[in-house]
Amino acid sequence: GPEGTFTQAAAQKHFGHGVKTAPMGTIDEVFREVESGSTHYGVVPVENSTGGMVNTTLDSFIHSNLTICGEVELRIHHHLMVGQNTKENAITRIYSHPQSFAQCRQWLDAHYPKADRIPVSSNSDAAKRMQSEWNAAAIAGEVAAELYGLKVVASNIEDNPHNTTRFLIVGREHVPSSGQDKTSIIVSMKNKPGALYELLAPFHNADIMLTRVETRPSQDGTWAYMFFIDFEGHESDAKVKAVLAEVEALAVYVKKLGSYPKAVL
């Protein structure tokens, strides 16, 4: 998304405010820019504690050679904001990203049940529209309000006060062990009874904690699936190496996406 999105805030949290950020229109573009060498790293959302997984990010990893170099967890606070010319008692439409609407559904049902909810490509785009509309409001973050000079009329309207989004840092290099790491892989198994059990058993037997198991349709066949798995440990650890070797012997396909330090909220 453009300047002022939560992804930019995640980039600044990870790299510091001195980093030069380059906004991209889509997640696919972020991957392409890093793959081409135009940027050193990319930052993409992968999971929200309320809205679930960002499937576009997961699918991008299938055909990409990029490595996950880090992760960022960002507490997400949504605010309802208006422009200078907005008539606050005449709001009939609200702009925001679909994920934000999902995260603020109960609050909107209670306070603006009749207002049209109009999805746009980013919260920053929603905020930008407030400069020309008198009967509309936007849901976005504090950075967008400051960037476009908007008035916040309701703060922290997310339904879950612990609403958090997880972002991944993608690059072209592997990260050494920090002692507090996670590893991500993609696995495709033969479509047979007990396939998922066979896949997960080695992790259980080695006492390795799984932090995420997600299923996505394979792009190579009908009713075939790929498993995205996150687990604790670094791929250089002896225990992790042994488990990955066991999984590779069982699976049709295994792709290592990288090991990286755990996020600190």
Side-chain angles (χ1 to χ4, degrees):
E3 192 177 9
T5 59
F6 289 114
T7 306
Q8 184 183 24
Q12 292 174 341
K13 179 179 179 180
H14 188 80
F15 293 104
H17 286 267
V19 71
K20 182 179 179 182
T21 57
M24 296 290 118
T26 66
I27 289 172
D28 293 340
E29 287 182 65
V30 174
F31 276 80
R32 285 196 295 269
E33 284 292 295
V34 182
E35 287 169 345
S36 70
S38 297
T39 59
H40 292 102
Y41 298 98
V43 183
V44 289
V46 69
E47 178 184 5
N48 177 264
S49 59
T50 302
M53 301 302 293
V54 181
N55 290 329
T56 306
T57 297
L58 295 184
D59 292 342
S60 295
F61 279 112
I62 295 174
H63 299 295
S64 174
N65 293 320
L66 295 182
T67 298
I68 301 174
C69 304
E71 67 171 356
V72 180
E73 289 186 359
L74 195 67
R75 191 79 82 199
I76 302 297
H77 295 300
H78 293 297
H79 312 302
L80 189 76
M81 53 193 68
V82 296
Q84 294 180 350
N85 300 321
T86 303
K87 296 182 179 180
E88 295 179 30
N89 60 351
I91 293 173
T92 59
R93 59 178 65 180
I94 298 174
Y95 292 95
S96 197
H97 189 276
Q99 283 268 352
S100 299
F101 280 133
Q103 294 163 27
C104 304
R105 181 179 56 81
Q106 294 176 17
W107 189 92
L108 289 170
D109 288 346
H111 294 85
Y112 290 92
K114 296 182 179 179
D116 293 330
R117 301 174 193 179
I118 304 173
V120 292
S121 61
S122 71
N123 289 348
S124 188
D125 180 29
K128 194 184 300 183
R129 291 170 183 254
M130 296 305 97
Q131 297 169 340
S132 60
E133 300 202 25
W134 61 270
N135 62 336
I139 296 175
E142 187 176 355
V143 173
E146 294 174 358
L147 188 63
Y148 298 107
L150 304 182
K151 175 186 175 183
V152 174
V153 295
S155 300
N156 300 349
I157 65 172
E158 62 278 358
D159 298 328
N160 182 354
H162 304 295
N163 184 34
T164 304
T165 294
R166 178 179 169 230
F167 299 84
L168 295 177
I169 313 299
V170 294
R172 301 183 300 278
E173 60 196 45
H174 291 272
V175 180
S177 175
S178 69
Q180 293 290 326
D181 300 291
K182 290 167 68 175
T183 298
S184 297
I185 60 174
I186 302 174
V187 184
S188 178
M189 298 289 287
K190 291 180 180 178
N191 191 4
K192 64 176 184 178
L196 181 58
Y197 173 82
E198 284 187 4
L199 170 60
L200 300 183
F203 294 95
H204 172 73
N205 295 336
D207 197 28
I208 291 177
M209 175 73 73
L210 299 175
T211 58
R212 168 65 60 180
V213 178
E214 194 71 25
T215 308
R216 291 292 296 149
S218 172
Q219 299 173 7
D220 298 328
T222 305
W223 307 121
Y225 294 90
M226 307 191 84
F227 299 101
F228 288 78
I229 302 176
D230 298 340
F231 57 91
E232 293 185 353
H234 194 277
E235 58 188 338
S236 65
D237 300 342
K239 186 164 68 170
V240 172
K241 281 183 177 181
V243 168
L244 289 178
E246 196 172 342
V247 169
E248 287 172 343
L250 293 168
V252 174
Y253 169 81
V254 177
K255 184 175 185 178
K256 299 173 186 175
L257 300 180
S259 296
Y260 46 91
K262 293 180 186 177
V264 178
L265 186 60

